[in-house]
Amino acid sequence: MEYKDLRESMVRTQLIPRGIKDKRVLDAMGRVPRHLFAGHLTAAEAYSDMALPIGEGQTISQPYMVAVMTELLELKGTEKVLEIGTGSGYQAAVLAELSRDVYTIERVAALGELVKKRFQDLSYTNIHSMVGDGTLGWPEEAPFDRIIITAAAPEIPEPLIAQLADGGIIVVPVGGLYSQQLLKTRKSGNNLVNEYHTLCVFVPLIGQYGWKKE
Ligand code: SAM
């Protein structure tokens, strides 16, 4: 099967039947070449309905989870987005199709370096990446209209709440080390309005405002 067909099939069989409705999200996931972010995996594996290993003990999220989290961000195209947990760079590439600029932070240096080159090779000029502890955010670039954390957090890291613009949205898997629930939080002045969504399982967010040990 051609890559384009694998992507169309992924959208048709994994995303639409499970309720993903935002046409911009479906179109972006039909465009981004997921197999180029999936390391040594085969194309069939890359487009399959599961999270997969990408090395350094980390994973590329299941396509459906990427779609749900992206849809919850309500992107219109003008936003400045912060992602914590660059991993393979796939989620950042989907976000880059749907927003103005993406700032993404990865804790594991080997992954962060690999992905920087990948973004260059694929001409994603609106993705800015760095290696560091994402629980501290990226203060020099704040405020952000949207923040997405693609690792499991015990709670939303304080610095990220501070770096979210008024009216902005954070999407994050919160809970224990072995299972979490997607939390969508909207900042409204001094208030945070929480909505809980699907159950999920992510690798831990490790850092000063995350989990302390691997
Ligand atoms: N978004 C990624 C993708 O599209 O491939 C998947 C992310 S993977 C599920 C979680 C990533 O979060 C891992 O690469 C892990 O190293 C990273 N991570 C964990 N704690 C972090 C932290 N404090 N700051 C930045 N990255 C972190």
Side-chain angles (χ1 to χ4, degrees):
M1 240 201 250
E2 298 280 334
Y3 298 129
K4 186 168 164 289
D5 298 332
L6 286 167
R7 281 197 289 280
E8 272 172 21
S9 162
M10 174 186 83
V11 169
R12 195 169 19 84
T13 64
Q14 300 175 34
L15 308 186
I16 294 173
R18 291 193 180 115
I20 303 299
K21 291 194 176 58
D22 186 331
K23 186 162 179 331
R24 294 182 72 238
V25 174
L26 294 170
D27 289 348
M29 292 191 60
R31 275 196 306 272
V32 176
R34 183 171 161 90
H35 60 286
L36 298 182
F37 293 84
H40 301 297
L41 301 171
T42 65
E45 285 169 332
Y47 290 99
S48 66
D49 190 13
M50 57 181 97
L52 293 159
I54 53 168
E56 306 293 330
Q58 303 304 334
T59 52
I60 178 169
S61 303
Q62 179 193 26
Y64 171 64
M65 195 48 63
V66 174
V68 173
M69 294 181 85
T70 307
E71 187 169 67
L72 288 174
L73 288 173
E74 301 179 20
L75 296 168
K76 302 289 181 263
T78 55
E79 298 83 0
K80 186 171 184 180
V81 182
L82 175 66
E83 180 196 28
I84 312 303
T86 318
S88 69
Y90 175 69
Q91 172 78 72
V94 172
L95 296 171
E97 298 269 333
L98 297 169
S99 62
R100 192 187 77 214
D101 276 295
V102 178
Y103 291 79
T104 182
I105 308 175
E106 172 55 51
R107 172 181 167 268
V108 177
L111 290 177
E113 300 304 335
L114 191 73
V115 94
K116 200 179 265 290
K117 180 163 185 320
R118 185 170 289 158
F119 293 143
Q120 273 166 11
D121 291 348
L122 297 175
S123 302
Y124 278 107
T125 52
N126 64 337
I127 303 181
H128 317 274
S129 66
M130 75 163 197
V131 170
D133 177 1
T135 69
L136 304 173
W138 196 323
E140 301 80 5
E141 291 295 341
F144 297 97
D145 304 303
R146 302 288 186 267
I147 299 178
I148 174 172
I149 306 179
T150 60
E155 58 188 6
I156 306 177
E158 279 291 331
L160 300 186
I161 295 172
Q163 291 173 33
L164 184 66
D166 193 17
I169 296 172
I170 296 188
V171 173
V172 49
V174 286
L177 277 171
Y178 303 107
S179 95
Q180 307 90 35
Q181 192 162 11
L182 274 190
L183 169 63
K184 170 177 174 173
T185 295
R186 197 184 294 266
K187 187 172 182 178
S188 172
N190 289 330
N191 294 327
L192 295 176
V193 182
N194 291 336
E195 255 176 42
Y196 285 89
H197 292 267
T198 185
L199 294 172
C200 50
V201 180
F202 278 80
V203 296
L205 179 74
I206 296 166
Q208 191 172 327
Y209 293 85
W211 296 100
K212 295 292 179 287
K213 289 191 188 134
E214 295 198 47

